[in-house]
Amino acid sequence: TEQAEVLFENNSASANINFGFSITGEAVGEIHNCKSYENQLSGINVDENAKAAVTDNEIFNNVQNGVIAFESGVLYASQNLIYSNQYHGFSLVDQSVVTILNNEINDHVYNAISFYDSSTGEVNGNICAGNMGGIVNYGDQAPTIGENNCQ
């Protein structure tokens, strides 16, 4: 099957009933230089085997997570400012594979980055402050955790 390709660039998404931006269903996409805020679910969603690059965005004040990857979503996230979401900065669930590099992840009710189930990947160069926890693995895999500054 042919994969859909999508580019969200220089857009804003706010006050949606679901996600601000979503790449799903085996699509391949990029979300770059966007704002996602005050959405009822997460600011950015990557799921169902989709592959997404999420770079240089501002993601804040969403009712759930800043970014969620689940159902085998593949996520590359770098240079994002993610803050004040009601759950986690990044929530990684259901066999997602992620690379999370050089983001600022601050002031979440729960953790900056949370791994669940069999999700795995690499986390390096991130700055996290004001969260309940920094980088937390609740799953059964061992993600590669490099040098991060999480307090």
Side-chain angles (χ1 to χ4, degrees):
T1 62
E2 191 171 317
Q3 293 179 325
E5 292 187 22
V6 64
L7 170 64
F8 297 105
E9 187 170 31
N10 302 319
N11 292 290
S12 289
S14 65
N16 292 292
I17 293 172
N18 288 312
F19 306 107
F21 296 96
S22 185
I23 298 179
T24 187
E26 297 187 8
V28 175
E30 181 178 356
I31 303 169
H32 176 74
N33 200 37
C34 293
K35 286 187 179 184
S36 186
Y37 58 98
E38 297 176 1
N39 298 291
Q40 292 302 303
L41 295 179
S42 297
I44 294 177
N45 170 64
V46 179
D47 70 358
E48 297 178 3
N49 297 304
K51 296 176 178 75
V54 175
T55 59
D56 298 301
N57 300 291
E58 186 176 3
I59 306 159
F60 60 99
N61 290 344
N62 294 289
V63 174
Q64 291 188 2
N65 305 289
V67 178
I68 186 167
F70 66 103
E71 295 179 0
S72 301
V74 178
L75 170 68
Y76 171 85
S78 181
Q79 302 294 328
N80 298 289
L81 177 58
I82 303 171
Y83 60 94
S84 300
N85 298 288
Q86 293 302 305
Y87 288 9
H88 308 279
F90 286 93
S91 184
L92 313 164
V93 186
D94 295 334
Q95 299 176 336
S96 295
V97 178
V98 301
T99 303
I100 301 173
L101 305 173
N102 305 316
N103 299 280
E104 285 190 41
I105 313 159
N106 302 320
D107 301 320
H108 295 91
V109 173
Y110 298 110
N111 302 317
I113 302 170
S114 293
F115 286 89
Y116 292 94
D117 308 315
S118 295
S119 293
T120 191
E122 176 189 359
V123 178
N124 197 18
N126 299 287
I127 298 170
C128 329
N131 306 289
M132 182 177 79
I135 302 165
V136 180
N137 183 14
Y138 299 104
D140 57 9
Q141 298 295 312
T144 301
I145 309 298
E147 291 189 28
N148 298 275
N149 183 3
C150 293
Q151 305 182 16

